[in-house]
Amino acid sequence: MIDTKVKDCIIIGGGIAGLQAAIQLGRYSAYDVLVIDRGTGRSTICKSYRNILGWPDGVSGEELRQRGRKQAEAVGVAFAVDDIRKAERDEARHFVLTGKDGAQYRARTLLLATGLMDRFPELPGLMSTLGSSVFVCPDCDGYEIQNRKTVVMGSGDPGASMALLLSERTRDIIYVNHEGKPASSEHMRQLAELGIPYVEKKVAEIRSEESGTISAVVLEDGSLLPAERGFISFGGNSIYSELAEQLGAELEHNRHVITDPRSKMTSVEWLWAAGDLGVHSELTTVAMGEGATAAIWINKTLKQLTGKSAI
């Protein structure tokens, strides 16, 4: 299927940044905007964001996504379920996008909000606790482990670095090097100096209470590590910047997309990036701000390209 109609803007990614951008663009009441989402991503697995204005008791990623989509649809934004595999530009400088089954979409402007996904092994009990009592982002959820018994599960230096960072929050912390990859001598020295126990064994299971709160980490030898909170840090996260690369956008050494700090436009004209895909601290609240900022500048560009203005 080829959609011959050229959209004013296509947003790839229906997570937090993409939805916030869609809401902002829809409220200009002037543009044909399409969000293409494959229904996965970091926000789909977080059970409770507690650092967002107005949600002191937390809100799940799924609820935010549902509310955001409903809000965007109410201002005229359309949605499509697809996984965009190819991005290029045609003679008219329109962006041409191809989905996993060959469907094509065209747009004058493009916002990439494809995000990233943390790398972690399939550990029994992890998914039921992830985002509620086991966390990935110290900026987002370091507060949640304050003075609590915490187990960091990770690999080599990434896990050691996380344990050292979190020791500012709690002294009752242990690092389990699940994958057994060596940590640097400097990290090992710092762990020892701070009295952070280091265990080089595989995690067999994460146990939790009925509420979904972690209660213990079971190791491969059957030993139990009691826990009130957990963190994971395995390194090697997947940055979904392939489409940006196909279009020639400049990337950081870690494959995050470089954008103008003011407009969030990439090094490619009329191509924007927002959220975890870009270079920032990976907070949900930052993703919201970047999505809105990108939309404001997309509006400025579309006024010039289409002659349209807010109704």
Side-chain angles (χ1 to χ4, degrees):
M1 179 195 77
I2 299 177
D3 187 349
T4 56
K5 184 177 181 181
V6 178
K7 307 294 183 184
D8 292 315
C9 181
I10 287 180
I11 299 169
I12 304 179
I16 308 304
L19 287 170
Q20 190 67 67
I23 292 167
Q24 182 67 33
L25 278 173
R27 288 173 61 85
Y28 289 117
S29 306
Y31 308 119
D32 186 358
V33 179
L34 173 66
V35 177
I36 303 175
D37 183 44
R38 61 184 177 188
T40 61
R42 221 181 194 190
S43 59
T44 64
I45 61 177
C46 184
K47 295 175 182 61
S48 185
Y49 292 109
R50 297 187 181 92
N51 63 332
I52 298 177
L53 177 68
W55 299 93
D57 298 322
V59 58
S60 72
E62 283 290 6
E63 182 173 354
L64 273 181
R65 289 169 67 102
Q66 290 170 11
R67 286 172 175 258
R69 174 165 178 164
K70 183 176 180 180
Q71 191 171 350
E73 288 175 332
V75 291
V77 175
F79 284 77
V81 177
D82 206 341
D83 183 3
I84 301 301
R85 302 291 178 85
K86 183 179 180 182
E88 54 192 335
R89 298 184 88 166
D90 62 16
E91 297 81 0
R93 302 185 70 194
H94 294 147
F95 293 95
V96 182
L97 312 172
T98 305
K100 64 177 181 179
D101 295 322
Q104 286 194 336
Y105 314 83
R106 284 176 165 77
R108 294 181 174 87
T109 61
L110 179 63
L111 170 61
L112 298 177
T114 44
L116 63 79
M117 180 56 75
D118 303 272
R119 183 181 75 85
F120 51 86
E122 293 184 8
L123 300 176
L126 176 59
M127 293 306 295
S128 63
T129 57
L130 195 58
S132 60
S133 59
V134 177
F135 307 103
V136 300
C137 173
D139 289 323
C140 306
D141 295 307
Y143 176 86
E144 303 299 329
I145 73 163
Q146 190 75 29
N147 299 322
R148 293 180 181 271
K149 188 181 294 293
T150 301
V151 176
V152 174
M153 295 160 277
S155 176
D157 280 325
S161 179
M162 181 66 76
L164 291 168
L165 177 62
L166 294 175
S167 66
E168 300 172 355
R169 289 289 191 172
T170 179
R171 303 301 297 180
D172 195 352
I173 190 168
I174 184 171
Y175 171 37
V176 178
N177 187 345
H178 171 80
E179 293 184 335
K181 295 181 180 179
S184 69
S185 57
E186 177 62 19
H187 275 145
M188 294 301 291
R189 182 189 65 79
Q190 291 177 323
L191 290 171
E193 284 185 354
L194 291 172
I196 299 174
Y198 171 82
V199 177
E200 193 170 299
K201 293 181 181 177
K202 291 186 178 296
V203 174
E205 179 189 359
I206 297 172
R207 291 184 181 174
S208 60
E209 301 170 356
E210 289 185 9
S211 62
T213 302
I214 185 174
S215 61
V217 172
V218 184
L219 301 179
E220 60 183 342
D221 62 1
S223 57
L224 267 68
L225 302 177
E228 296 174 287
R229 295 291 185 268
F231 255 85
I232 59 172
S233 182
F234 289 87
N237 295 343
S238 297
I239 316 300
Y240 298 129
S241 54
E242 295 85 358
L243 298 177
E245 186 174 33
Q246 290 175 21
L247 290 166
E250 184 179 1
L251 305 183
E252 269 286 2
H253 68 282
N254 58 6
R255 297 195 57 78
H256 284 275
V257 180
I258 297 173
T259 61
D260 181 273
R262 185 182 183 195
S263 68
K264 312 316 299 180
M265 186 185 283
T266 71
S267 58
V268 175
E269 190 176 35
W270 306 339
L271 173 67
W272 283 260
D276 289 347
L277 181 65
V279 183
H280 70 80
S281 61
E282 299 181 10
L283 273 79
T284 304
T285 47
V286 173
M288 289 179 176
E290 289 192 352
T293 298
I296 289 169
W297 285 86
I298 291 170
N299 170 53
K300 295 176 186 291
T301 297
L302 285 174
K303 281 184 177 181
Q304 298 173 351
L305 294 177
T306 68
K308 298 178 182 178
S309 59
I311 298 173

